[in-house]
Amino acid sequence: MSLAPAPVLSGPTGSLLDLIGKTPMVEVTKLDTGPCRLFLKLESQNPGGSIKDRIALSMIAAAEREGFLKPGGTIVEATAGNTGLALTLVGQAKGYKVLLVIPDKMSKEKIQHLRAMGADVRLTRSDVPHGHPDYYTDMAERLAQQIPGGFYVNQFANDANSEAHFRTTGPEIWEQMDGRVDAFVAGIGSGGTITGIGRYLKSVGSDAKIILADPVGSTLAGIVNEGVPGPEGSYTVEGIGQNFVPDTAEMDLIDSAYSIPDGEAIATVRDLLLKEGVLAGSSSGTLIAAALRWCREQTEPKRVVTFVCDTGAKYLSKVYNDAWLADQGLAEREIHGDLSDLITRKYEKGDVVVISPDDTLDTAFKRMKGADVSQLPVIEDGRLVGIVDESDIVQVMHTDEITREARFKKPVGSVMTRDLDTVQVSEPLEALIPLFDRDRVAIVLDGETFVGLITRSDLINHLSLNR
């Protein structure tokens, strides 16, 4: 039976938990899908903003039924962020404390969101393998054992994880697609999504291809395609990819896999926003990139389903931040073979936060805080005339000759450094070292034209990306 052409509004509910699931489906119409039709299930429309709301509700309910989680208890989990947000949403509604162990590469938006919701967030290293005491799952399990009434959710080996998708997500997809699904694309974080939906599709007699979207650096695509783990490496995409097979993941359900580089995933998700108006997270970029590859390889029309796993609002400081992408070596940049290659924020492009000599120290300080920098180039009539940093402001604040209010009203031009340490853009990297030895930032000029600033961090980042 076909669904109604327009959604039917329901009455008010007494709990956000009642709104989990029943997410909408939208067709991609402005991206190149080859001969196929690509549909996105908008899991970002769940109350907690991600597909993980479904498993949080399922896993907590199962723990209550089985007596593992009792009133006053503490939910403990290792998470890339979205499961943590979902567990906090459900746990707080049910009166539990929530403690989350999160790898330190996760976006600051997720971490701030979790702490604002009242979760106890413990950051741990993201550069250690499974089995290391600082690996996030190992740390979470250890903490749960130490806390009275602690319950380690362990989404990676929790049957209620995949069961949530078998009972809800799979049937929703089948109904929304009128039972016509030729391929389904998902990633593996904990493994519950691809397993639960894959099982459901098999249970209703579907012959849909189950396709894994995996970040380059995760070992899982190799297991699917070659029977052995793929090369292990680092990647910036959050929430999917592993260097081990989670107990929840049934790899035999998967027909094929695509390894998607970070650059392709991020370009895809940014293209999705630009052309389709859908603001999606980084893992969605991996899924959609894999789905588009599969679609373009086909020679006849197919109907393909994948997800917008979570909202891109959680990644504005990363995936949608050009400066961050440049720092990670993920932005498309013209290479000049000179010092300008170290500058990710160039003055001519308007990327540099600057100040005027007539602006007040109060304005300068607020701009430094807002941009998270410690110095500002001082520009007058388009020319660099000085630089002001935190130490210049501190020196003024140290005097008692005028009131504190008057100190902050002093013009930048009265305290800025005019004797500038500059280097020409054509000079070698070694020219930066004497400046850094004197605790200065390098001011880069092309002739008399200001190009940008280079800090120690910029140099280290450049060397790291080009080792």
Side-chain angles (χ1 to χ4, degrees), residues 34-250:
C36 300
R37 298 176 68 185
L38 176 60
F39 300 85
L40 307 179
K41 189 159 173 60
L42 302 181
E43 290 297 296
S44 55
Q45 300 301 303
N46 279 303
S50 87
I51 194 171
K52 298 297 188 177
D53 286 9
R54 296 177 184 266
I55 69 169
L57 190 63
S58 175
M59 292 187 299
I60 290 176
E64 290 173 328
R65 286 194 307 270
E66 296 164 11
F68 295 122
L69 189 56
K70 298 177 181 178
T74 300
I75 296 168
V76 182
E77 182 58 331
T79 169
N82 281 325
T83 301
L85 288 166
L87 288 170
T88 305
L89 176 74
V90 177
Q92 296 280 32
K94 291 174 169 282
Y96 300 112
K97 303 182 189 72
V98 181
L99 185 153
L100 304 169
V101 180
I102 299 180
D104 56 15
K105 76 172 185 176
M106 296 306 124
S107 69
K108 65 181 181 181
E109 287 91 347
K110 286 183 184 176
I111 295 167
Q112 291 166 347
H113 190 169
L114 287 166
R115 286 177 170 153
M117 291 177 71
D120 180 356
V121 176
R122 311 287 179 89
L123 295 180
T124 190
R125 295 168 60 184
S126 57
D127 62 343
V128 292
H130 184 57
H132 189 284
D134 288 337
Y135 190 72
Y136 71 139
T137 57
D138 297 84
M139 181 180 286
E141 185 173 10
R142 186 170 65 250
L143 287 171
Q145 293 170 351
Q146 296 169 356
I147 297 171
F151 167 63
Y152 176 40
V153 177
N154 193 8
Q155 60 181 309
F156 299 94
N158 192 318
D159 290 339
N161 179 345
S162 58
E163 183 64 20
H165 295 295
F166 183 86
R167 288 187 295 100
T168 68
T169 326
E172 288 175 29
I173 290 172
W174 193 246
E175 184 179 4
Q176 287 170 306
M177 296 296 292
D178 271 340
R180 293 184 293 150
V181 181
D182 296 302
F184 165 67
V185 182
I188 290 179
S190 61
T193 303
I194 203 164
T195 298
I197 296 171
R199 281 181 188 165
Y200 180 80
L201 291 174
K202 301 295 184 186
S203 75
V204 294
S206 171
D207 58 0
K209 298 295 183 183
I210 310 299
I211 299 164
L212 172 64
D214 206 34
V216 169
S218 168
T219 63
L220 301 177
I223 294 172
V224 173
N225 293 333
E226 284 89 33
V228 295
E232 186 176 346
S234 61
Y235 47 92
T236 61
V237 166
E238 300 179 24
I240 58 172
Q242 296 292 354
N243 59 4
F244 68 99
V245 177
D247 292 343
T248 308
E250 286 190 24

Side-chain angles (χ1 to χ4, degrees), residues 227-456:
V228 295
E232 186 176 346
S234 61
Y235 47 92
T236 61
V237 166
E238 300 179 24
I240 58 172
Q242 296 292 354
N243 59 4
F244 68 99
V245 177
D247 292 343
T248 308
E250 286 190 24
M251 304 300 284
D252 290 343
L253 289 170
I254 303 170
D255 295 294
S256 62
Y258 291 88
S259 290
I260 305 296
D262 282 333
E264 183 180 350
I266 290 170
T268 299
V269 82
R270 288 177 65 120
D271 213 26
L272 182 73
L273 176 59
L274 188 64
K275 295 179 179 177
E276 302 282 351
V278 178
L279 181 62
S282 58
S283 62
S284 303
T286 304
L287 269 59
I288 296 166
L292 289 172
R293 282 200 200 180
W294 192 88
C295 286
R296 293 165 186 165
E297 290 171 1
Q298 305 312 302
T299 57
E300 56 186 49
K302 303 285 185 181
R303 289 161 61 91
V304 183
V305 175
T306 191
F307 293 114
V308 171
C309 308
D310 66 350
T311 171
K314 300 172 184 176
Y315 308 88
L316 294 177
S317 65
K318 298 179 75 173
V319 173
Y320 297 95
N321 180 346
D322 291 341
W324 182 86
L325 292 178
D327 286 340
Q328 302 299 311
L330 294 172
E332 292 186 7
R333 301 175 61 202
E334 185 179 353
I335 301 301
H336 300 280
D338 56 27
L339 291 181
S340 68
D341 294 339
L342 280 70
I343 303 172
T344 57
R345 298 159 183 83
K346 294 183 179 177
Y347 176 66
E348 67 176 357
K349 294 183 177 179
D351 296 333
V352 182
V353 179
V354 300
I355 198 81
S356 161
D358 297 327
D359 285 323
T360 65
L361 294 183
D362 186 51
T363 299
F365 176 62
K366 287 176 179 175
R367 286 190 190 172
M368 287 181 191
K369 285 186 65 178
D372 194 24
V373 296
S374 58
Q375 67 279 314
L376 297 174
V378 185
I379 304 293
E380 185 176 35
D381 297 328
R383 292 179 59 253
L384 178 72
V385 295
I387 193 165
V388 61
D389 62 21
E390 292 170 339
S391 63
D392 296 322
I393 299 177
V394 167
Q395 285 184 356
V396 175
M397 296 302 117
H398 240 24
T399 178
D400 292 327
E401 296 175 4
I402 54 178
T403 65
R404 186 170 297 169
E405 182 178 0
R407 295 174 216 170
F408 275 102
K409 288 183 178 179
K410 287 178 72 67
V412 167
S414 68
V415 304
M416 70 183 186
T417 300
R418 297 175 184 273
D419 183 17
L420 302 177
D421 287 312
T422 65
V423 292
Q424 287 295 315
V425 70
S426 58
E427 294 187 52
L429 288 179
E430 290 73 20
L432 302 174
I433 305 305
L435 301 181
F436 296 153
D437 286 343
R438 297 200 302 274
D439 203 26
R440 299 292 185 93
V441 63
I443 301 167
V444 183
L445 302 180
D446 185 0
E448 295 185 358
T449 303
F450 175 51
V451 179
L453 304 177
I454 298 177
T455 65
R456 291 185 182 89

